[in-house]
Amino acid sequence: MDARLEAVRDTVLARNPGESEFHQAVSEVFESLGPVHDRHPEFLEAAILERLCEPERQIIFRVPWTDDSGRVQINRGFRVEFNSALGPYKGGLRFHPSVYLGIVKFLGFEQIFKNALTGMPIGGGKGGSDFDPRGRSDAEVMRFCQSFMTELYRHIGEYTDVPAGDIGVGGREIGYLFGQYKRITNRYESGVLTGKGISWGGSLVRPEATGFGTVIFTEEMLKTRGSSFDGQRVVVSGSGNVAINAIAKAQALGASVVACSDSSGYVVDEAGIDVGLLRQVKEVERGRLKDYALRRSGVSYVETGSVWDVDATVALPCATQNELDGGAAARLVRNGLLAVGEGANMPSTREAVAVFQEAGVLFGPGKAANAGGVATSALEMQQNASRDSWSFDHTEQRLTDIMVGIHHRCASTADEYGDPGNYVLGANIGGFVKVADAMLAQGLI
Ligand code: NDP
C-alpha cells in the first residue's frame, strides 16, 4: 500500500478499535487508491480519505419490546449516516444477532462507493439491529419494528436518509416500519423507505433487483472472455432474497444452478434448483433449506462442510460477509472456476480475493456486482417522487442498463489506471473519485 495512505489507514484503524469488518473494508479500498492520489494531490490536501472514513453521524439506540409471553426484550438499534456528498444517505437495515457497530460501519462504508457507481444521486448509510427475526411470530416482529421506528423516525426522511431491507429485513418488516413512521409523523411520505409493497408505493423488480443485477454484471464480465451464463455450472450461497433471485436469473440465461445454502447446511440438486419450490419453502412458509431437500427427490442435504465444496464454473456468494475463505477459493479454482459475482457484501475474505485474482478468475466485487438493489431503490424513489409506477419490463430494462453501465465504469477505470480486468480497482477508484470530487466542491464539512 502507498505509504501516504498507509499512515491514514493506520490512524483510522486505531480510532475504531475492535471493528474488524470495518478495518477489512477500509484496507481493501485504500489498497486501490495510491494511483488516484498521484494524479489528484488535492484529495490528500483536503483530507478526503480521513473525512470519508469518519461517518457524518452515528446513531445507537435502545429498542425495548415485549415478546409473546409478555417478557421484556431489549435490543440495540443502529443507523450510521456515512456520507451525503451525492445525495440523501441510502442503505439497508440488517436484523441479525451478529450486528454490532463494526458490521454496520463496514456496510455503510462500502455503500458510499456502491451508490456512487450506480450514477444515481444517493449517499451512503446503513443500519440495523442485533434482533433475530428467525423463530419470532409476526406479532413479535411487528412490535419490534414499531419500537425500532419509534426512535429511528426522527433521523430519517425522503431528503435525509432512506433505509431499505438487508439480511432479516424483507417486505414484512418494511411494511411494519413504514406503518409506524406514517403513524408517528402523520405523513404518507412514500420516499422515506424503499422495498415497499407494490400496492403501497413499492417498485416492481425491487425484490428481484439485487440477485438479477448480480447475474447481469457477471454476464457482462463473462462476455469479455467471449462467454456467457449459457451452459455454466453455478453454485450460489444463501437462500434468501438475493440468492433466490440470482438463481432464477442465472437459470433464465441458460445456466444450471446445482447448489445453494443456508446457515445450517446446503443442498445439491444436480437437476438444477427448482426455484418455485425454493420460493415456496423459504418465502411463503419461512422454512429451512432442509425442507426443500425433503420435498424433492434426487437432492442431497449436507450439514457439514461448505457449499463451496461443490465444484462450479461460476460462483455467486449471496449469503453474508467472509463466508468464502482462501482455502475454498483455491479449491474452486482447482476445479475450473471462471467467474465470481458477489451478490452479498464482502463475502470473500481478502485471501480469497487474492487467490481469484492471481488465478485470473473474473472477480466482480459486491460493491459493483450487487448494486442493482440500491439502484432499483433509487428508481423506487423516482416513482414515489413523481407519483408514478412503472411496468416490470421498463424497470427491468432500467436495471439492466444501470448494471451494464456499472460494469463499463469499473472496466474502463481499471483500463485507465493500467490494470485491465481488475474490477476491484475499477470499482474502488470509480466510486471514490466521484465522491471525492463532490466533497471537494462542497467545502470542508
Ligand atoms: P436474507 O435475509 O434474505 O438471506 C440471507 C441468506 O444468507 C439466508 O439464506 C441466510 O441463512 C444466509 N446467511 C445469513 N447469515 C449467514 C451466516 N452467518 N452464515 C451462513 N449463511 C448465512 O438476506 P439478503 O438475501 O437480502 O442478503 C444477503 C446478502 O446480500 C447480504 O450480504 C446483504 O448485505 C447483501 N445485499 C442485499 C441486498 C438486498 O437488496 N437485499 C442489496 C445488496 C446486498 P439463514 O436463513 O440460515 O440465516
Side-chain angles (χ1 to χ4, degrees):
M1 186 185 299
D2 183 295
R4 298 161 302 176
L5 302 191
E6 203 172 338
V8 180
R9 196 269 321 261
D10 290 348
T11 308
V12 172
L13 267 48
R15 275 170 64 80
N16 299 277
E19 297 176 356
S20 59
E21 297 84 1
F22 180 53
H23 295 181
Q24 184 182 341
V26 167
S27 300
E28 189 244 281
V29 168
F30 275 43
E31 264 159 26
S32 300
L33 295 183
V36 181
H37 288 84
D38 293 338
R39 287 193 200 182
H40 295 282
E42 69 276 18
F43 291 163
L44 277 176
E45 279 156 32
I48 294 290
L49 273 176
E50 289 91 328
R51 286 155 62 193
L52 202 57
C53 293
E54 187 68 25
E56 291 176 15
R57 193 174 297 108
Q58 307 184 57
I59 302 143
I60 304 180
F61 51 99
R62 181 174 66 207
V63 189
W65 57 285
T66 45
D67 65 21
D68 285 346
S69 62
R71 277 188 49 216
V72 173
Q73 302 278 347
I74 306 292
N75 286 100
R76 190 170 285 172
F78 301 89
R79 187 71 185 166
V80 173
E81 298 180 335
F82 228 114
N83 192 289
S84 61
L86 299 182
Y89 310 107
K90 183 87 197 86
L93 298 171
R94 175 177 292 192
F95 292 169
H96 192 271
S98 63
V99 167
Y100 77 107
L101 188 59
I103 294 262
V104 181
K105 280 167 70 178
F106 118 65
L107 291 164
F109 184 71
E110 294 250 304
Q111 197 85 43
I112 303 169
F113 305 92
K114 181 189 307 193
N115 293 5
L117 283 170
T118 66
M120 323 286 282
I122 42 179
K126 200 83 189 188
S129 173
D130 57 0
F131 171 70
D132 188 356
R134 273 192 308 172
R136 292 291 178 190
S137 69
D138 282 355
E140 289 178 316
V141 170
M142 182 178 75
R143 286 196 294 275
F144 173 81
C145 288
Q146 289 179 340
S147 182
F148 185 86
M149 185 53 86
T150 299
E151 172 59 32
L152 188 69
Y153 90 94
R154 67 189 88 244
H155 307 289
I156 62 175
E158 178 179 356
Y159 297 106
T160 317
D161 183 356
V162 184
D166 191 80
I167 291 178
V169 179
R172 174 182 61 171
E173 290 75 17
I174 294 292
Y176 294 147
L177 291 163
F178 183 75
Q180 184 72 351
Y181 182 86
K182 180 166 66 79
R183 177 200 213 182
I184 295 174
T185 60
N186 193 30
R187 284 160 63 87
Y188 204 107
E189 191 185 330
S190 302
V192 70
L193 288 170
T194 59
K196 298 180 293 297
I198 302 306
S199 60
W200 45 277
S203 173
L204 288 166
V205 191
R206 177 62 188 91
E208 295 86 0
T210 308
F212 277 23
T214 300
V215 170
I216 297 165
F217 186 93
T218 308
E219 176 89 343
E220 290 301 301
M221 292 199 299
L222 287 165
K223 278 187 198 165
T224 66
R225 302 258 171 100
S227 186
S228 73
F229 262 99
D230 195 17
Q232 303 292 351
R233 179 182 164 89
V234 179
V235 169
V236 174
S237 63
S239 50
N241 170 273
V242 179
I244 291 174
N245 291 294
I247 295 169
K249 188 70 172 177
Q251 290 186 339
L253 294 179
S256 176
V257 183
V258 295
C260 65
S261 63
D262 63 17
S263 57
S264 312
Y266 65 92
V267 293
V268 181
D269 188 344
E270 289 290 348
I273 299 285
D274 177 341
V275 178
L277 178 60
L278 187 61
R279 284 195 195 280
Q280 175 65 26
V281 169
K282 297 293 294 187
E283 294 180 342
V284 180
E285 298 167 16
R286 294 186 184 275
R288 307 293 297 157
L289 204 47
K290 195 178 199 167
D291 304 325
Y292 173 93
L294 289 173
R295 286 173 36 191
R296 187 165 151 88
S297 60
V299 176
S300 52
Y301 176 71
V302 187
E303 267 178 355
T304 50
S306 150
V307 71
W308 306 119
D309 293 339
V310 182
D311 61 304
T313 54
V314 178
L316 303 175
C318 296
T320 195
Q321 64 278 350
N322 291 329
E323 48 148 315
L324 200 170
D325 63 17
R331 215 164 34 245
L332 284 164
V333 167
R334 268 198 310 276
N335 291 334
L337 188 73
L338 298 175
V340 180
E342 291 190 327
N345 285 308
M346 210 168 72
S348 312
T349 64
R350 294 178 74 192
E351 294 73 27
V353 177
V355 169
F356 293 140
Q357 291 189 319
E358 275 159 31
V361 168
L362 294 162
F363 177 76
K367 62 171 76 75
N370 72 33
V374 74
T376 309
S377 277
L379 299 180
E380 183 174 330
M381 291 162 72
Q382 278 186 30
Q383 291 168 76
N384 294 151
S386 58
R387 303 199 182 284
D388 197 1
S389 55
W390 305 341
S391 70
F392 191 96
D393 288 349
H394 174 72
T395 317
E396 191 180 21
Q397 189 56 53
R398 290 287 307 266
L399 168 65
T400 304
D401 294 346
I402 290 167
M403 294 314 298
V404 171
I406 294 172
H407 176 270
H408 176 72
R409 207 158 295 136
C410 294
S412 58
T413 305
D415 287 348
E416 184 188 337
Y417 282 86
D419 197 353
N422 187 340
Y423 291 95
V424 173
L425 182 118
N428 287 338
I429 295 184
F432 172 78
V433 170
K434 192 158 180 210
V435 177
D437 281 340
M439 288 175 73
L440 265 189
Q442 291 171 17
L444 182 55
I445 54 171

